[in-house]
Amino acid sequence: MNMKRFCKRLAVLTGAGMAYAMSSLTVFAEEASGAAAEEPGAMMTLISTIALPLLMLAFLYFIMIRPQQKADKQAREMLKNIQVGDEVVSIGGIVGIVMRVEEATDTVVLETGGDRLKIRLKRDAIKEDITLNEAAEAEKAAKKKARMTPKSE
């Protein structure tokens, strides 16, 4: 399921949950004003009114916020670990090899194309480290191959 459709469904469910919570709050207020406020059902209504939005917030945190924080952390680590010789892709789609990393200005110098054109970019403008991705894929393939081959004793 694509992310746009998922977010729309999540928004609909969140809206429905909030509507339910507000109707429960209204019911609780009506019960509290009458003589029925002494019943144990009134306390359960209050708990369900508070618990449902809290559960929805926890759901949103674990489904949307936490994965985004993990992805941001991985991106920061990738940018921090860029080295000379890595093949990278910029946000604008420029593919090049890192020739120099300048820590003072937080920039990198890329060499692109056959004519050895050099471009200086901010480190934040790098979207992907191809060398790192290829190494990770090779490691995955090696692990998969090791799992598939039977061990002879």
Side-chain angles (χ1 to χ4, degrees), residues 25 28 41-51:
L25 186 60
F28 178 71
M43 188 57 142
M44 290 304 293
T45 305
L46 176 63
I47 291 171
S48 69
T49 303
I50 293 171

Side-chain angles (χ1 to χ4, degrees), residues 62-98:
F62 284 108
I63 295 299
M64 296 178 78
I65 297 170
R66 190 166 179 237
Q68 183 63 41
Q69 287 175 343
K70 283 185 177 181
D72 290 344
K73 183 179 179 182
Q74 287 176 343
R76 282 191 308 269
E77 286 294 318
M78 183 267 305
L79 291 175
K80 188 173 88 173
N81 295 327
I82 289 178
Q83 300 172 356
V84 174
D86 285 353
E87 187 175 6
V88 297
V89 179
S90 74
I91 292 173
I94 299 171
V95 179
I97 298 173
V98 178

Side-chain angles (χ1 to χ4, degrees), residues 24 34 47 62-63 90 93 111-113 117 125 134-135 138 140 142 145:
S24 297
I47 291 171
F62 284 108
I63 295 299
S90 74
E111 182 179 282
T112 63
L117 176 68
E134 287 175 352
K140 274 186 182 178
K145 186 176 180 181

